[in-house]
């Protein structure tokens, strides 16, 4: 999400005659886009700011700005604590950046952190400044109002709002025409994507627009996530479509049916579980039970038998007992995730947990529980990968392998990385690759025929 936001910032600034400077020693401004989700993300930024002091001493006039969730969370306090920061800009205020940079004087401190109920930057075409030219993110909505008890996002990114689907499809089409072959639609909770044509004028416009004559063969003034996925998938069968992130409470059968209908919608679902314990899920305000979550997993397997499933999990949330932790391990054994992002709970100021709960699981216990989850997941991922040996997958080639110039790497629909001999293939092409061996993180294979 931050990557996508940085591309919007780059676009807004390049319109105003600013350019990206790759040599940090030549830059007039350094903009640091920040995350506030866990304390260690914020500590990394503070460390970076300390490291930049030396550069600031030798480079008169160099100004540092903090963008994103940390700016939003800490507001002006951040500039008081970090005196080498000249300005801060929250996630909904990036349109003010060009004017800020134009006008800021030496010694001045500026802050723009107003959150918006409508800003989606839908008219801004992101500048893909650090890209492989093959895969890209498209932000389809902003904000979140699920208020999970541990999470700072609703406070730093504001209310949920969806972007005009026409601008999303146009962006996907323009990327495809430039040679991109995969887009990932991004939102905090994509399943609650919903765009309504509000005003009469807008309604009239959208009725004329052919995008709204989609595969449901009817004209509609309201677009939900399954329809949006279908529209993007129809840009071209050669354009792969992925999405992140789904909240389990909103994962609909309709979406699974659309995924089954289009080969180019990738068969990979990221479904953050957070905990396997019913009591923890309730305390976290996740609004589903373990049984309900497992029901969604069954639905995925039913509609999409080849689909990979990945997750996020938090170890050591407030009051978590050994029994709760065991329930999480049990959930991992039942679902057998292909990949998991695994975190130690980090108390965030202002959240429900900070206001009403105690961060009472000792750090060494959190660490041990996290390590147990990581170890179990490592075994499961390896076993899952071993089952892929002998199968052939269509792979979108993304680049040259980091290990060896003679090898390429790409991903299959399930988002698994596959490495294979280069031959005369190029990044951006599709190839059919047969898996010959694997590790827990990578499949290794050989090309069987060329497309
Ligand atoms: N502590 C640890 N992990 C967190 N996440 C969100 N908030 C916290 C927190 N306070 C994790 C969740 C979420 C992912 C993006 O980050 O697992 O799905
Ligand atoms: Fe945070 Fe929950 Fe929203 Fe995800 S769904 S961003 S965890 S509040």
């Amino acid at each position: 999400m931050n990557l996508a936001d940085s591309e919007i910032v780059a676009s807004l600034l390049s319109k105003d005659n600013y350019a990206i400077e790759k040599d940090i020693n030549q830059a007039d401004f350094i903009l640091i886009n920040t995350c506030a989700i866990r304390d260690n993300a914020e500590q990394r930024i503070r460390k970076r700011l300390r490291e930049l002091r030396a550069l600031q001493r030798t480079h008169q006039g160099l100004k540092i700005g903090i963008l994103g969730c940390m700016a939003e969370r800490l507001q002006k306090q951040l500039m008081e604590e970090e005196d080498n920061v000249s300005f801060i800009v929250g996630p909904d205020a990036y349109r003010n950046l060009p004017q800020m940079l134009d006008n800021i004087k030496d010694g001045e401190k500026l802050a723009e952190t107003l959150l918006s109920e409508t800003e989606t930057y839908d008219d801004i075409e992101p500048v893909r400044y650090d890209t492989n030219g093959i895969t890209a993110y498209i932000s389809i909505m902003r904000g979140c109002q699920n208020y999970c008890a541990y999470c700072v996002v609703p406070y730093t990114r504001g209310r949920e709002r969806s972007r005009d689907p026409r601008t999303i499809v146009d962006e996907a089409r323009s990327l495809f025409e430039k040679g991109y072959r995969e887009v990932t639609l991004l939102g905090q909770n994509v399943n609650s994507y919903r765009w309504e044509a509000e005003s009469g004028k807008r309604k009239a416009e959208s009725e004329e627009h052919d995008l709204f004559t989609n595969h449901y063969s009817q004209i509609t003034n309201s677009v939900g996530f399954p329809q949006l996925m279908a529209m993007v998938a129809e840009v071209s069968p050669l354009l792969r479509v992925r999405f992140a992130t789904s909240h389990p409470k909103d994962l609909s059968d309709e979406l699974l049916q659309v995924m089954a209908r289009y080969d180019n919608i990738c068969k990979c679902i990221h479904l953050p579980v957070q905990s396997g314990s019913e009591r923890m899920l309730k305390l976290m305000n996740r609004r589903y039970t373990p049984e309900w979550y497992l029901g969604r997993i069954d639905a995925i397997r039913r509609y999409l038998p080849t689909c990979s499933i990945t997750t996020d999990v938090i170890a050591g949330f407030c009051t978590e007992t050994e029994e709760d932790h065991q329930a999480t391990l049990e959930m991992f054994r039942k679902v057998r995730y292909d990949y998991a992002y695994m975190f130690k709970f980090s108390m965030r100021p202002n959240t429900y947990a900070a206001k009403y709960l105690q961060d009472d699981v000792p750090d060494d216990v959190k660490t041990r529980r996290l390590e147990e989850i990581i170890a179990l997941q490592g075994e499961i991922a390896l076993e899952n990968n071993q089952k892929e040996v002998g199968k052939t997958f269509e792979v979108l080639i993304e680049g040259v392998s980091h290990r060896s110039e003679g090898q390429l790497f790409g991903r299959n629909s399930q988002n698994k990385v596959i490495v294979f001999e280069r031959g005369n293939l190029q990044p951006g092409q599709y190839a059919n690759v047969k898996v010959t061996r694997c590790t827990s993180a990578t499949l290794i294979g050989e090309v069987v025929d060329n497309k």
Side-chain angles (χ1 to χ4, degrees):
M1 191 64 87
N2 268 1
L3 244 156
D5 275 10
S6 295
E7 293 176 341
I8 286 168
V9 168
S11 174
L12 287 163
L13 285 171
S14 60
K15 283 202 183 74
D16 199 57
N17 290 325
Y18 289 90
I20 289 169
E21 174 56 70
K22 291 220 159 136
D23 178 0
I24 199 168
N25 296 300
Q26 301 297 320
D28 299 313
F29 294 96
I30 296 175
L31 307 181
I32 307 178
N33 200 353
T34 59
C35 173
I37 200 130
R38 282 169 292 275
D39 186 55
N40 59 8
E42 293 198 1
Q43 293 312 324
R44 280 210 302 275
I45 299 300
R46 293 189 188 269
K47 182 160 170 269
R48 182 74 59 85
L49 284 170
R50 285 196 294 278
E51 289 162 2
L52 286 171
R53 280 182 188 280
L55 183 64
Q56 280 177 302
R57 273 194 292 275
T58 57
H59 190 336
Q60 280 294 314
L62 171 65
K63 292 188 180 59
I64 298 180
I66 298 288
L67 315 182
C69 287
M70 203 175 160
E72 192 64 48
R73 188 179 87 71
L74 292 162
Q75 309 266 320
K76 287 186 179 143
Q77 184 195 331
L78 182 57
M79 287 189 290
E80 285 156 24
E81 289 168 2
E82 305 287 346
D83 61 8
N84 57 337
V85 173
S86 302
F87 55 98
I88 60 165
V89 188
D92 286 345
Y94 295 146
R95 284 183 203 268
N96 298 324
L97 254 170
Q99 218 201 348
M100 273 175 106
L101 300 201
D102 289 350
N103 297 322
I104 191 164
K105 311 228 164 28
D106 284 350
E108 207 176 5
K109 300 267 179 191
L110 298 177
E112 294 276 0
T113 53
L114 213 61
L115 286 174
S116 157
E117 297 207 344
T118 53
E119 179 63 273
T120 57
Y121 300 109
D122 58 3
D123 56 324
I124 307 296
E125 191 183 341
V127 172
R128 320 273 168 185
Y129 61 87
D130 186 16
T131 173
N132 58 9
I134 297 158
T135 59
Y137 293 117
I138 301 181
S139 172
I140 63 161
M141 59 199 296
R142 301 182 71 82
C144 180
Q145 56 217 44
N146 283 316
Y147 292 97
C148 299
Y150 49 81
C151 185
V152 78
V153 168
Y155 307 92
T156 60
R157 299 189 79 95
R159 308 282 296 169
E160 194 174 280
R161 62 221 104 113
S162 298
R163 177 176 165 189
D164 186 328
R166 291 168 292 189
T167 67
I168 297 170
V169 176
D170 288 348
E171 195 174 320
R173 191 175 291 129
S174 145
L175 285 164
F176 182 73
E177 282 161 6
K178 288 183 189 132
Y180 286 80
R181 288 296 172 263
E182 183 180 295
V183 292
T184 302
L185 308 189
L186 285 183
Q188 248 77 33
N189 179 12
V190 290
N191 294 302
S192 58
Y193 173 89
R194 179 150 294 281
W195 184 85
E196 318 262 355
E198 335 106 89
S199 69
K201 181 171 169 288
R202 204 150 174 194
K203 210 168 181 174
E205 267 173 21
S206 61
E207 275 169 6
E208 281 166 19
H209 204 284
D210 60 358
L211 277 180
F212 287 75
T213 318
N214 58 25
H215 70 286
Y216 295 96
S217 65
Q218 60 186 19
I219 294 167
T220 163
N221 285 311
S222 167
V223 177
F225 188 59
Q227 290 103 307
L228 178 71
M229 283 295 284
M231 289 179 191
V232 178
E234 282 180 12
V235 166
S236 166
L238 288 177
L239 182 71
R240 281 185 168 182
V241 190
R242 301 186 184 277
F243 61 96
T245 292
S246 300
H247 193 302
K249 76 179 165 63
D250 300 321
L251 181 75
S252 68
D253 283 28
E254 192 191 357
L255 175 65
L256 300 176
Q257 285 156 3
V258 169
M259 288 180 73
R261 200 173 306 143
Y262 291 90
D263 281 345
N264 57 327
I265 299 184
C266 290
K267 303 302 178 275
C268 174
I269 295 185
H270 185 61
L271 203 64
V273 68
Q274 313 299 3
S275 169
S277 150
E278 183 163 356
R279 190 181 71 85
M280 282 291 103
L281 288 173
K282 192 146 194 233
L283 203 58
M284 287 173 162
N285 193 32
R286 289 291 287 177
R287 290 177 274 181
Y288 54 82
T289 61
E291 285 64 40
W292 198 86
Y293 182 91
L294 287 167
R296 293 289 74 202
I297 298 290
D298 284 346
I300 296 172
R301 306 257 190 246
R302 205 163 53 240
Y303 288 110
L304 309 166
T306 64
C307 194
S308 65
I309 302 177
T310 63
T311 203
D312 291 348
V313 70
I314 299 175
F317 184 60
C318 307
T319 78
E320 187 187 72
T321 62
E322 273 322 298
E323 202 184 333
D324 296 319
H325 169 59
Q326 289 301 326
T328 295
L329 294 174
E330 193 49 35
M331 178 64 89
F332 271 58
R333 282 187 207 103
K334 281 188 181 143
V335 181
R336 301 188 59 78
Y337 296 108
D338 293 284
Y339 190 84
Y341 297 90
M342 299 163 276
F343 308 108
K344 223 165 38 164
F345 172 60
S346 161
M347 184 65 102
R348 308 309 291 133
N350 271 330
T351 55
Y352 178 91
K355 284 185 197 141
Y356 303 108
L357 305 173
Q358 293 282 321
D359 187 8
D360 56 0
V361 179
D363 194 60
D364 57 332
V365 175
K366 284 182 189 169
T367 304
R368 194 252 307 148
R369 289 181 188 164
L370 178 64
E371 281 168 359
E372 285 176 15
I373 301 172
I374 292 173
L376 173 62
Q377 178 52 33
E379 286 168 27
I380 293 170
L382 179 61
E383 286 163 17
N384 284 354
N385 278 354
Q386 281 163 347
K387 287 192 195 127
E388 312 291 35
V389 174
K391 292 187 194 162
T392 299
F393 294 104
E394 186 181 64
V395 173
L396 172 59
I397 306 171
E398 288 181 29
V400 176
S401 160
H402 310 297
R403 292 240 179 103
S404 139
E405 277 282 310
Q407 289 186 318
L408 294 171
F409 79 96
R411 284 165 208 270
N412 64 7
S413 173
Q414 289 71 15
N415 210 25
K416 291 194 177 172
V417 173
I418 305 189
V419 178
F420 52 94
E421 290 303 317
R422 183 167 200 159
N424 46 22
L425 291 163
Q426 297 296 329
Q429 291 178 326
Y430 287 98
N432 287 329
V433 180
K434 184 174 181 181
V435 179
T436 50
R437 57 200 172 87
C438 71
T439 68
S440 68
T442 313
L443 304 176
I444 300 118
E446 54 197 36
V447 176
V448 288
D449 71 67
N450 233 346
K451 278 198 185 174

